[in-house]
Amino acid sequence: MKILRKIAIVLVPFYWILTWLYHRCFDWGLLKSKSFDYPIICVGNLVVGGTGKTPMIEYLIHLLQPHFTVATLSRGYKRTSKGFVLADETSNSEIIGDEPLQFYKKHKNLIVAVDESRVRGINKLLKLNKKPEVILLDDAFQHRKVKVGFNMLLTAFDDLYVDDILLPTGNLREPIVGAKRAQIIVVTKCPPQLSEAQKLQIGSRLKLHEDQSIHFSSINYSENLINQQSELSLNSLKGSPFTLVTGIANPKPLVDFLNGKGLEFEHLSYKDHHHFTEEDIKLLATKKMLVTTEKDFVRLQPKLGTLTFLYYLPITVTLDNASEFNKSIEAYIKGYYSIEAFDD
């Protein structure tokens, strides 16, 4: 596959032209974007997966829910359903996708919807009896048919978009110039002790405009594993080998964290959003202890039933200057509502 991607570099200029023209047509008004007099925040990236959109969406949910009725809207990647679907107690990952299901199960009173058409999805949400007051668009940076009021662009510390090239050889979905559409750029998955000099260097490399701000976030892994029955300390696994199962774009930070804890494990790595087959489940059912991500857990747990040896490791994100980040979100939403300042 790597060899094929290298060979495909001859196609990169054509992809550049097509994607550049597509976005310029929206900028020039040749293609129309639907505007909504409503607070809509988009969390996205320039690359294919692996930048930490899910924990950032969850950060925003925690920030906004004390003040507003919040909805998330995504396409529901790899779901088997079509059109607009509103999550409810009968939903599973095949109907709405794994990340939307994770949001629904984790956040009480959150409205979770999926639709491949973001315009239709927003219109449907605004017609609900209990309609949301703020909508979070998950992975919609390239979906220009909605004129988003606030764009947040994520890029991973060890894989900055300025170091990449376009598909099919690289992972960029569109030319780097697209970053100009973002109000905030968040460099994710940073080392916890990132120096100010490193931050300035990264900011310089990304060539931000005057109206853009940059923030840096790091991943925090819990010290406890969780399933539907119990919690288990990570330290209790020392000397007890287990199997790590991942179906995410970039499992390296998790693998590095577990190795850093001195734990012994085998790693079964699948593609992002992997659909676990019957053969996969039979193999996993033979393992003594399974540890996975929260996103993978919502796909695996229904297929493995109530087996108590399946756990997930929760994660959160920490922002370097959370109060300023929160104020940026608050300032945008204040254009629509009169609100008190967010808690830091």
Side-chain angles (χ1 to χ4, degrees), residues 142-162:
Q142 283 74 37
H143 294 267
R144 301 292 302 279
K145 291 184 179 180
V146 175
K147 189 173 180 61
V148 174
F150 197 95
N151 271 305
M152 188 180 305
L153 181 67
L154 309 187
T155 184
F157 171 80
D158 60 355
D159 191 20
L160 299 174
Y161 57 76
V162 292

Side-chain angles (χ1 to χ4, degrees), residues 244-256:
L244 174 66
V245 183
T246 61
I248 58 178
N250 181 18
K252 185 178 183 299
L254 174 57
V255 172
D256 290 346

Side-chain angles (χ1 to χ4, degrees), residues 234-252:
L234 270 178
N235 289 331
S236 68
L237 295 183
K238 288 185 177 180
S240 300
F242 61 90
T243 300
L244 174 66
V245 183
T246 61
I248 58 178
N250 181 18
K252 185 178 183 299

Side-chain angles (χ1 to χ4, degrees), residues 257-274:
F257 171 76
L258 295 175
N259 281 327
K261 301 287 286 185
L263 301 176
E264 182 182 348
F265 58 93
E266 66 167 335
H267 181 198
L268 298 180
S269 180
Y270 300 90
K271 291 183 178 180
D272 196 16
H273 302 279
H274 176 71

Side-chain angles (χ1 to χ4, degrees), residues 47-48 159-167 169-172 176:
V47 302
V48 180
D159 191 20
L160 299 174
Y161 57 76
V162 292
D163 295 327
D164 209 339
I165 64 173
L166 285 167
L167 292 164
T169 298
N171 289 316
L172 287 179
I176 292 172

Side-chain angles (χ1 to χ4, degrees), residues 110-141:
L110 178 70
I111 300 169
V112 177
V114 295
D115 199 326
E116 57 271 23
S117 167
R118 304 305 202 283
V119 172
R120 179 176 60 200
I122 293 170
N123 282 324
K124 292 276 189 179
L125 285 170
L126 296 182
K127 291 179 182 178
L128 295 176
N129 290 331
K130 184 183 178 182
K131 68 179 183 180
E133 297 168 308
V134 180
I135 296 175
L136 304 178
L137 293 185
D138 182 14
D139 195 18
F141 194 72

